[in-house]
Amino acid sequence: MGVIKRYLFIGSLMAIVIPSWSQQQATISQYMFNGLAINPAYAGSHDALSASFLTRFQNVGLPGAPNSQTLSIHSPILEKRIALGLMVIHDKIGVIGQTGVNGIYAYRIPMSNKATLSFGLQVGVSTYNAAYTSLDTYQADPLFAKDIRQTRPNFGAGIYYTKPLWYLGLSMPHMMNNVFQRGNNFETVYQNIPVILSGGYVFELNEMLKLKPNFLFKIVDKRAVEVDLNANLLLDEVLWVGVSYKFNNATSFLIELQATDQFRFGYSYSLTTGPIRTADFGSHELLLQYRFKYTMKGIVTPRYF
């Protein structure tokens, strides 16, 4: 089994890094509770200062399996018309690591029936490190003869429309490819530029139960590469339990606990449904979120997304 795992990992690593020095948007299961990770226009949507930390360990059991951490903070200011945020993301797979820091700005337009339309921008930089020389190769390969360390700018944008019981968002978190010099040649780091459409609706079944279906549809390079359907059941405004299906990729089981008016804890476990399922032990994702009280009567109103 160890040999099988090794070859599966090497094959997946080659597919990611060799063709065009490409980079992909990290995948998370709890996007419906951590919208800033996929859309800068989400900033300020909690109507209070909000901080979140998410960590994900993917394909546990495979050598060099992906893992990522996200720290975000955002808050509305100036009578909630403007929101500011900061997001730090670290991703690592095998010998490749990346850390990105993004500043976020959103302009929020109050509309009728408690609706809000937001436009968001994010600007930041990413540091990229690939320790190719630490890999064991069977023969000399110039691609792995030198490590790569680069700093790249990033720009993203999004739009987010929300009402108390539903939301819809469209975003492009990464909008830039970058050119760098390698020796006497200039090469382009092709960063996959995703277009992400997401949404959800809360059905009030009775006083104790609410059902929230969500969807995420991501297009990369004009190809549909990710379709995620999710349903969460809310019990007495305290406990969310749910299941997600990512087409041809994974099934996830989620639990979210609203421990207090301000603190939320979330966990998800994903089972791979593709060929790699025989070699890994699933993926684990942990979310911690704290929303500071807004001054209006000292009460934090319920948030469903």
Side-chain angles (χ1 to χ4, degrees):
M1 179 60 70
V3 174
I4 294 175
K5 288 182 179 181
R6 184 178 302 173
Y7 278 103
L8 284 170
F9 167 68
I10 292 175
S12 62
L13 180 62
M14 297 298 184
I16 293 172
V17 302
I18 289 182
S20 55
W21 304 86
S22 64
Q23 170 195 346
Q24 297 190 15
Q25 168 95 0
T27 297
I28 61 174
S29 298
Q30 301 175 84
Y31 63 88
M32 69 293 296
F33 298 109
N34 191 33
L36 198 67
I38 61 173
N39 191 340
Y42 185 84
S45 62
H46 289 181
D47 293 326
L49 177 63
S50 180
S52 302
F53 173 76
L54 183 143
T55 183
R56 178 178 176 84
F57 298 92
Q58 190 168 326
N59 304 122
V60 174
L62 287 179
N67 68 82
S68 61
Q69 292 77 41
T70 301
L71 176 65
S72 62
I73 184 169
H74 60 101
S75 176
I77 60 174
L78 300 179
E79 298 181 352
K80 301 183 183 181
R81 286 297 188 103
I82 293 174
L84 299 178
L86 178 70
M87 184 166 59
V88 181
I89 302 174
H90 175 73
D91 298 312
K92 185 173 178 60
I93 175 172
V95 297
I96 300 174
Q98 177 177 273
T99 301
V101 179
N102 291 280
I104 296 171
Y105 170 90
Y107 184 75
R108 311 172 73 227
I109 304 174
M111 306 182 76
S112 60
N113 299 322
K114 299 182 179 180
T116 302
L117 178 64
S118 301
F119 300 90
L121 298 173
Q122 67 182 36
V123 179
V125 294
S126 296
T127 58
Y128 177 89
N129 297 282
Y132 290 141
T133 57
S134 65
L135 292 172
D136 294 328
T137 57
Y138 291 104
Q139 59 184 5
D141 190 327
L143 183 62
F144 300 110
K146 184 178 180 181
D147 294 339
I148 295 178
R149 294 180 177 83
Q150 298 290 333
T151 299
R152 312 166 179 169
N154 179 56
F155 176 78
I159 183 171
Y160 184 73
Y161 182 83
T162 180
K163 296 187 70 172
L165 295 179
W166 65 276
Y167 72 96
L168 187 67
L170 180 67
S171 64
M172 295 180 67
H174 302 285
M175 301 176 65
M176 295 181 64
N177 287 318
N178 298 284
V179 177
F180 71 96
Q181 187 172 4
R182 193 180 188 208
N184 295 323
N185 300 318
F186 288 90
E187 300 184 23
T188 300
V189 178
Y190 290 101
Q191 177 171 262
N192 290 337
I193 300 177
V195 179
I196 300 175
L197 176 67
S198 62
Y201 191 96
V202 177
F203 294 93
E204 297 181 309
L205 304 181
N206 55 47
E207 292 184 357
M208 295 288 293
L209 296 175
K210 294 180 175 65
L211 177 66
K212 184 179 70 170
N214 306 271
F215 73 89
L216 183 146
F217 182 54
K218 180 163 69 174
I219 300 174
V220 177
D221 298 331
K222 301 180 181 179
R223 305 188 316 271
V225 297
E226 185 174 317
V227 179
D228 191 310
L229 300 180
N230 167 274
N232 289 283
L233 187 66
L234 175 60
L235 309 175
D236 198 25
E237 301 288 348
V238 173
L239 181 66
W240 291 96
V241 290
V243 61
S244 291
Y245 179 67
K246 193 182 302 295
F247 279 79
N248 301 320
N249 190 305
T251 299
S252 301
F253 303 93
L254 303 91
I255 183 169
E256 303 277 339
L257 176 64
Q258 191 72 46
T260 70
D261 287 343
Q262 299 166 269
F263 177 69
R264 168 180 279 170
F265 166 85
Y267 170 78
S268 74
Y269 175 70
S270 302
L271 291 171
T272 304
T273 57
I276 204 173
R277 68 183 181 275
T278 59
D280 73 11
F281 300 103
S283 302
H284 302 269
E285 187 176 288
L286 176 67
L287 171 67
L288 302 176
Q289 188 175 90
Y290 190 86
R291 188 158 64 102
F292 294 83
K293 286 187 177 181
Y294 191 61
T295 56
M296 184 69 68
K297 299 180 181 179
I299 297 175
V300 176
T301 56
R303 297 296 307 186
Y304 301 124
F305 35 82

